[in-house]
Amino acid sequence: MTNPQTGPDPIRLHIAAEKLPRDGLEIRYEANEAERAALARHLDILEVRELRADLTASRWRGEGVKVKGSLRAILVQESVVTLEPVSQALNEAFETTFVPEGSRLAPVPQTGENEIHVDLESEDPPETFRGPQIDVGPFLMEAVSLGLDPYPRESDVAFEAVDTDPDPKAGVRSAFDVLTTLVPRETKGAKGE
């Protein structure tokens, strides 16, 4: 997510990149009601009841900024089984590194290639920012989005098998049984004669 500052996002959390104390800046963030409602609409879920982050922003390799800490949220989604509201508590570690645009530490854009190479063992490359401030809000939203349960449901509810066969007593038929209906009966066995 490069340059997240472009575009309206439900959550904005600005950090002055150039004015960080030597020992880091402690940040406590709690989303207000309007931000939680906008985030729920953005994520297409029923409700964000709570969203809090305890972060520390500190200098990284001279010109960069590392933001790390924890993110807690209570989210309400629609159950994929019963369509009833289901709550989910989210408690995620959060860590992102930022560097100014044009920095020697910024990821080098690959040109002329149609493939993206991903090394799952290495750290994520730093995100870039423009200007004197970093907006961490979109990255918090991304962390919440990645933590969402893709198939929310109540813990005691499970999918039940449904028989859609119009004639369950007829037995299981092979997919090739349909082919026998395509060949006229009088030509069966005529090949061997």
Side-chain angles (χ1 to χ4, degrees), residues 3-156:
N3 291 330
Q5 292 84 353
T6 60
D9 288 313
I11 296 176
R12 294 288 199 198
L13 179 57
H14 295 278
I15 298 172
E18 297 171 354
K19 297 181 180 180
L20 289 177
R22 282 196 105 134
D23 55 347
L25 175 67
E26 298 291 323
I27 303 164
R28 300 200 90 174
Y29 170 76
E30 185 170 351
N32 63 36
E33 187 176 337
E35 290 170 326
R36 293 192 315 268
L39 181 58
R41 284 190 303 274
H42 181 78
L43 296 174
D44 196 25
I45 62 175
L46 299 176
E47 183 183 2
V48 177
R49 286 193 184 143
E50 179 182 307
L51 175 60
R52 296 175 188 217
D54 292 315
L55 307 170
T56 302
S58 54
R59 288 254 162 245
W60 182 76
R61 296 189 182 179
E63 60 185 349
V65 175
K66 182 177 283 277
V67 180
K68 66 187 294 185
S70 63
L71 172 74
R72 290 178 310 283
I74 298 176
L75 312 168
V76 181
Q77 295 177 269
E78 192 173 75
S79 169
V80 295
V81 180
T82 64
L83 304 180
E84 295 294 322
V86 177
S87 290
Q88 172 191 0
L90 185 68
N91 195 357
E92 298 282 327
F94 181 87
E95 183 173 333
T96 305
T97 307
F98 300 91
V99 293
E101 270 187 348
S103 167
R104 62 181 172 72
L105 300 171
V108 178
Q110 297 179 2
T111 58
E113 291 187 25
N114 292 332
E115 295 182 20
I116 297 175
H117 301 282
V118 178
D119 182 4
L120 299 176
E121 300 298 319
S122 68
E123 290 184 16
D124 289 339
E127 301 291 340
T128 59
F129 68 94
R130 181 183 303 163
Q133 292 190 331
I134 301 170
D135 186 4
V136 181
F139 299 95
L140 293 174
M141 289 174 21
E142 180 180 38
V144 172
S145 176
L146 291 172
L148 281 174
D149 185 349
Y151 304 105
R153 65 174 190 238
E154 299 85 345
S155 59
D156 59 341

Side-chain angles (χ1 to χ4, degrees), residues 165-186:
D165 188 357
D167 188 9
K169 295 180 182 175
V172 178
R173 292 183 58 191
S174 166
F176 295 105
D177 288 345
V178 175
L179 296 175
T180 61
T181 62
L182 299 176
V183 179
R185 296 224 183 260
E186 59 270 356

